[in-house]
Amino acid sequence: MTEQHSNRAAPSGAGSVGTETLGSYLARLASRQPTPGGGAAAALHAAQGAALVAMVARYTTGPKYEEHAGLVERTTKVADELASEALRLAESDERVFQAVIDAYRLPSDTEGLRAAKTSAIQAALVQAAQTPAQLIKLAGEVVDLAAGLADVANPNVISDVAAAADAARAAATTARVNIDINVVAIKDQSARSLLKEQTAGIEEKVVAAADALVGRVRERILQ
């Protein structure tokens, strides 16, 4: 988060990612507004990945898949929950990023105001990094869920397992960058260390797992 970002115009009449139309969301994303941005987009990647897993699970039902009914039922339930949670994180990202912007706009005419502004900015940055940190973990759960379904999924929708993995991969890598841009601006070393500990190695594992799953799906399709 930089001063340049903080000077961008605030959104007016912004909608809710979870309820607005796709066209409305894309128009807001493309506009000269600070929110939604990459964080919300990352969360929607994860939401789409989870929704794709749920769709594949719902196509993997009936007598032909009866022996896997328990797995499919659990997968459907969890995938739906992850999709909803990802949407919540998209909306959360807008709120926390706006809080950072608001903190940068606080007055700094006196020494006391400058100190208060600095404190508010730092607190907002720490909070803003929490949403992408949660999102990386969620993206990993989406990939794991897709991987658990891959070997039993209806072959007519097996390509969507790979699509889900790639969507979750994009969520994780984008969230990692959003964490980084906040962390470098955080002055509190203990807060920086905690954020690094929370996400250390997770993004790399998500990427590796997603790539491996996509490879498995492609091999199954092309065999």
Side-chain angles (χ1 to χ4, degrees), residues 17 47-48 57 63 72-76 80 116 127 141 171 197 212 219:
V17 174
Q48 290 184 108
V72 169
E73 183 178 354
R74 290 191 300 274
T75 299
T76 304
D80 285 342
Q127 186 62 40
E141 292 179 50
E197 289 174 9
E219 183 177 351

Side-chain angles (χ1 to χ4, degrees), residues 39-60:
L44 288 187
H45 285 317
Q48 290 184 108
L52 283 165
V53 173
M55 183 266 282
V56 172
R58 287 187 168 94
Y59 270 110
T60 310

Side-chain angles (χ1 to χ4, degrees), residues 62-86:
K64 184 177 180 180
Y65 304 100
E66 185 61 34
E67 65 179 301
H68 307 298
L71 169 65
V72 169
E73 183 178 354
R74 290 191 300 274
T75 299
T76 304
K77 180 177 183 295
V78 175
D80 285 342
E81 291 171 351
L82 289 176
S84 295
E85 177 63 9

Side-chain angles (χ1 to χ4, degrees), residues 122-180:
Q122 291 299 304
L125 287 169
V126 171
Q127 186 62 40
Q130 289 299 320
T131 299
Q134 294 174 47
L135 182 57
I136 289 181
K137 295 177 182 178
L138 188 149
E141 292 179 50
V142 172
V143 175
D144 289 345
L145 204 61
L149 191 62
D151 290 336
V152 303
N154 184 329
N156 293 321
V157 288
I158 190 64
S159 62
D160 292 298
V161 172
D166 270 337
R169 184 189 195 281
T173 55
T174 304
R176 175 76 265 169
V177 174
N178 286 331
I179 292 171
D180 292 343

